[in-house]
């Protein structure tokens, strides 16, 4: 029996969470280093996955593992990765160590004489991060629908505690007001995603019922269902397929988040610490967009095409809505949250253009957005921790007293607006090329999001980093070694993937091609303008 690499990649952070939580309360520093060691071990296993993955194998899934689990209900422990999953696992495994280093002191004991101040469980903070990582990884790996659903929902619990229990301390509010706002954000996050999950559960049960009726034995296996449909053994009635698709898509659109199901995100990212905000938008939310590609398109191809026009409209609306609200924000973290809503609109737009450029660009965008948002949000977190305020108006002239902080903040911001030469530009360009080839009107409107992105990023930089030095900013220290270790590699990746994205695209493109074939779509042929000369030649 070969080594269960996929299982190990999920089990290592889960085991790390248990071990970290068990460390005695007095040994907080040891717990931090232990958690970081488990995160680095997970990153090493994700690297092995990438090394062993062969994009030219022609197989739909590689490194597969399959074991019977609940035989009476057709539930199996089936794991496998394609080119899309393997790069997203690598993204999650890469970001978690940086999230931990950035939040190294976020769960340290609170100081002061107030009776409301308490010791925050450092071990719990790092254990919860590892548990989220384990659940995200196995969600990317699962090829059994029921197995995916379990971890898709289970990751909400540790995220709830990370948002509600370890929220941002900045904001100029009393402890009671801060606790109330954190609780509100955590509950809103949980309720929105639980409602989406309940709707999906009904669709999962419906999917099982259809397979049991037509195949004689119910199954949740993605591979078996796709093969049965290709062989003509399984057929969904039009109404049934559309209803099941909507159940799956609703849950994924909440998680993504897609307008108008997005309203939990600004609250969650605003009240969470900066590292947890990165965990939300750069790691957890990617499960939603990934699942659209893996489950919505492959299980329900005809319903996906039926719903495409509406989803295109929602995506473009989300692009403009998120960008416009980002322009008007006074809170740095909420501005980044609304920018992420706009970016997720681009990702979902690319998925449902049903073109290889669009879907390939959307997958690449998931990776690039994760890196760029992590860089910008973490630097913003370092800035906020120094000043104790999230309000843009409380800053000014930072670049004169902390040039490294200002410089990295600028690069992260320029990546967010997809400046050519930085990684997000490539993915956004591919999404727009794919959109123009099939939905030119949507492509034209979506480009306005780029203009608005330049506006909110540059105005944010101008108001916080340039101008006269405000008195509270005058003694602000520059980035420390730990903070440079966090931001430096992310900036380097943005530069590298901005000029040489081939290492990712050569892994992603074959998987996108297989998804397109399962949806029975081909790229539209380029329209060549006719000229009088061509007309004469054609007449001859």
């Amino acid at each position: 029996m070969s080594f269960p690499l996929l299982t190990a990649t999920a089990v290592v952070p889960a085991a790390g969470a248990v071990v970290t939580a068990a460390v005695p309360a007095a040994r907080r520093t040891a717990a931090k280093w232990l958690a970081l060691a488990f995160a680095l071990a997970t990153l090493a296993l994700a690297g092995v996955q990438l090394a062993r993955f062969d994009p030219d194998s022609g197989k739909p899934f590689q490194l597969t593992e399959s074991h019977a689990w609940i035989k009476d209900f057709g539930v199996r422990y089936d794991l496998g990765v394609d080119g899309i999953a393997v790069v997203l696992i690598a993204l999650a495994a890469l970001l978690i160590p940086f999230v931990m280093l950035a939040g190294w002191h976020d769960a340290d004991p609170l100081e002061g004489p107030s009776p409301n101040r308490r010791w925050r469980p450092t071990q719990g903070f790092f254990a919860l991060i590892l548990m989220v990582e384990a659940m995200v990884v196995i969600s990317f790996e699962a090829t059994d629908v029921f197995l995916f659903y379990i971890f898709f929902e289970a990751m909400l619990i540790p995220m709830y505690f990370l948002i509600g229990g370890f929220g941002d301390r900045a904001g100029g509010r009393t402890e009671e007001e801060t606790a109330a706002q954190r609780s509100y954000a955590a509950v809103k996050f949980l309720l929105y995603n639980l409602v989406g999950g309940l709707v999906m559960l009904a669709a999962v049960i419906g999917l099982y019922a259809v397979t049991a009726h037509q195949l004689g034995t119910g199954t949740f296996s993605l591979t078996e269902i796709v093969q049965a449909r290709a062989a003509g053994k399984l057929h969904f009635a039009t109404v049934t397929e559309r209803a099941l698709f909507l159940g799956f898509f609703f849950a994924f659109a909440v998680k993504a988040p897609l307008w108008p199901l997005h309203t939990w995100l600004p609250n969650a990212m605003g009240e969470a610490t900066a590292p947890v905000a990165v965990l939300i938008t750069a790691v957890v939310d990617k499960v939603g967009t990934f699942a659209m590609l893996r489950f919505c398109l492959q299980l329900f191809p005809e319903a996906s095409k039926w719903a495409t026009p509406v989803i295109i409209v929602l995506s473009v609306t989300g692009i403009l809505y998120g960008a416009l609200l980002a322009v008007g924000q006074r809170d740095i973290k909420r501005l980044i949250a609304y920018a992420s809503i706009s970016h997720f609109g681009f990702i979902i737009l690319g998925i449902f253009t049903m073109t290889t450029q669009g879907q390939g660009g959307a997958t690449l965008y998931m990776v690039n957005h994760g890196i760029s948002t992590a860089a910008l949000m973490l630097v913003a977190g370092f800035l906020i921790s120094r000043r104790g305020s999230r309000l843009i108006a409380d800053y000014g002239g930072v670049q004169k007293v902390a040039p490294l902080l200002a410089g990295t903040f600028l690069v992260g911001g320029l990546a967010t607006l997809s400046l050519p030469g930085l990684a997000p530009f490539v993915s956004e360009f591919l999404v727009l090329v794919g959109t123009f080839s099939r939905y030119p009107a949507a492509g034209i409107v979506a480009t306005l999001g780029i203009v608005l992105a330049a506006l909110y990023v540059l105005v944010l930089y101008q108001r916080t980093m340039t101008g006269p030095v405000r008195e509270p900013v005058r003694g602000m220290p520059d980035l420390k070694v730990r903070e440079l270790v966090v931001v430096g590699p992310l900036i380097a990746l943005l530069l590298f993937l901005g000029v040489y994205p081939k290492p990712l695209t050569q892994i992603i493109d074959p998987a996108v091609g297989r998804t397109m074939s399962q949806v029975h779509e081909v790229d539209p042929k380029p329209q060549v303008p006719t000229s009088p000369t061509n007309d004469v030649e054609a007449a001859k």
Side-chain angles (χ1 to χ4, degrees):
M1 181 181 295
S2 60
F3 178 72
L5 180 59
L6 300 188
T7 296
T9 309
V11 166
V12 166
V18 174
V19 174
T20 302
V23 174
R27 305 191 63 183
R28 294 188 308 275
T29 302
K32 295 176 184 179
W33 285 107
L34 187 63
L36 182 60
F38 275 100
L40 292 173
T42 306
L43 176 58
L45 289 172
V48 174
Q49 282 192 27
L50 276 174
R52 292 183 57 184
F53 186 84
D54 180 10
D56 299 321
S57 70
K59 299 177 181 178
F61 298 108
Q62 298 181 44
L63 309 176
T64 55
E65 301 173 31
S66 182
H67 306 281
W69 185 15
I70 310 175
K71 293 183 180 180
D72 293 341
F73 296 99
V75 180
R76 298 186 59 82
Y77 179 79
D78 286 348
L79 304 180
V81 291
D82 58 7
I84 299 170
V86 76
V87 298
L88 292 177
I89 292 169
L91 171 69
L94 173 70
L95 291 180
I96 294 300
F98 296 126
V99 165
M100 288 183 174
L101 285 171
W104 201 250
H105 299 297
D106 284 358
D108 284 352
L110 295 173
E111 299 175 356
S114 169
N116 293 324
R117 293 189 182 274
R118 67 190 189 279
W119 286 77
R120 294 151 65 92
T122 304
Q123 289 84 340
F125 179 76
F126 287 90
L128 288 170
I129 291 175
L130 286 171
M131 189 57 68
V132 171
E133 179 180 23
M135 294 176 178
V136 167
V137 167
I138 203 166
S139 296
F140 288 140
E141 296 173 344
T143 59
D144 182 277
V145 176
F146 193 81
L147 178 66
F148 168 83
Y149 174 78
I150 289 174
F151 291 98
F152 179 80
E153 287 295 282
M155 71 179 70
L156 301 179
I157 304 304
M159 285 305 309
Y160 169 81
F161 288 109
L162 283 169
I163 297 168
F166 301 92
D168 196 346
R169 307 178 194 180
R173 301 170 298 191
T174 66
E175 291 180 21
E176 290 78 9
E177 291 172 339
T178 300
Q181 289 297 320
R182 287 205 309 260
S183 178
Y184 172 77
V187 171
K188 188 174 184 180
F189 162 82
L190 187 63
L191 289 179
Y192 265 67
N193 284 276
L194 278 179
V195 169
L198 289 174
V199 173
M200 180 182 172
L201 178 59
V204 169
I205 295 171
L207 178 66
Y208 178 83
V210 172
T211 59
H213 176 70
Q214 297 193 27
L215 301 178
T217 303
T219 181
F220 293 103
S221 171
L222 174 65
T223 302
E224 291 180 9
I225 294 172
V226 171
Q227 290 176 348
R229 293 202 67 170
K233 298 178 181 179
L234 180 63
H235 175 73
F236 291 104
T238 300
V239 174
T240 302
E241 181 175 354
R242 291 177 180 179
L244 295 177
F245 167 84
L246 290 174
F248 277 72
F249 180 79
F250 180 80
F252 303 152
V254 172
K255 181 85 78 180
L258 174 65
W259 182 91
L261 304 172
H262 67 282
T263 58
W264 62 268
L265 184 66
N267 296 99
M269 289 184 65
E271 296 304 324
T273 63
V276 173
V278 170
L279 191 63
I280 295 169
T281 190
V283 178
V284 171
D285 288 353
K286 298 301 186 299
V287 178
T289 48
F290 161 80
M292 292 178 188
L293 278 166
R294 171 163 286 188
F295 296 106
C296 284
L297 297 190
Q298 297 190 38
L299 289 174
F300 316 112
E302 297 305 319
S304 297
K305 290 186 281 189
W306 162 76
T308 288
V310 174
I311 296 173
I312 293 292
V313 172
L314 295 178
S315 300
V316 172
T317 303
I319 291 170
L320 298 182
Y321 174 89
L324 284 170
L325 265 68
V327 170
Q329 289 303 304
R330 296 180 298 173
D331 184 309
I332 296 173
K333 290 170 69 177
R334 289 179 70 90
L335 184 151
I336 299 172
Y338 280 108
S340 289
I341 292 170
S342 182
H343 295 149
F344 275 104
F346 275 108
I347 293 171
I348 298 171
L349 176 66
I351 291 171
F352 283 91
T353 56
M354 302 295 180
T355 61
T356 55
Q357 298 98 331
Q359 292 184 358
T363 305
L364 189 62
Y365 211 141
M366 294 184 216
V367 178
N368 293 337
H369 171 263
I371 299 171
S372 62
T373 299
L376 181 60
M377 178 59 85
L378 293 179
V379 177
F382 299 150
L383 177 69
I384 292 168
S385 67
R386 285 159 164 75
R387 176 68 176 83
S389 173
R390 305 198 312 247
L391 298 179
I392 298 172
D394 289 341
Y395 296 88
V398 174
Q399 67 181 10
K400 297 177 182 178
V401 296
L404 285 176
L405 192 154
T408 52
F409 190 81
L410 178 61
V411 175
L414 293 176
T416 298
L417 65 83
S418 299
L419 183 76
L422 296 174
F425 169 77
V426 180
S427 44
E428 196 165 283
F429 177 78
L430 288 173
V431 167
L432 289 174
V433 168
T435 304
F436 274 113
S437 66
R438 199 179 290 275
Y439 302 101
I444 292 171
V445 177
T447 54
L448 296 177
I450 303 175
V451 178
L452 292 172
L455 179 61
Y456 62 69
V457 167
L458 295 178
V459 169
L460 172 65
Y461 184 84
Q462 179 192 32
R463 292 178 178 175
T464 56
M465 302 297 166
T466 65
V469 180
R470 294 176 62 90
E471 190 60 34
V473 174
R474 192 169 300 279
M476 181 178 290
D478 210 341
L479 292 180
K480 302 174 183 177
V481 174
R482 173 179 59 86
E483 295 166 335
L484 287 171
V485 170
V486 171
V487 179
L490 297 176
I491 298 296
L493 275 174
L494 289 173
L495 293 169
F496 175 75
L497 295 175
V499 297
Y500 190 63
K502 184 178 178 181
L504 292 181
T505 57
Q506 68 182 5
I507 297 174
I508 292 168
D509 288 347
V512 167
R514 282 189 293 272
T515 302
M516 287 283 291
S517 65
Q518 289 170 354
V519 185
H520 308 295
E521 283 284 2
V522 295
D523 290 331
K525 294 182 179 179
Q527 297 181 358
V528 180
T530 59
S531 65
T533 303
N534 292 337
D535 292 338
V536 172
E537 293 296 329
K540 292 180 180 179

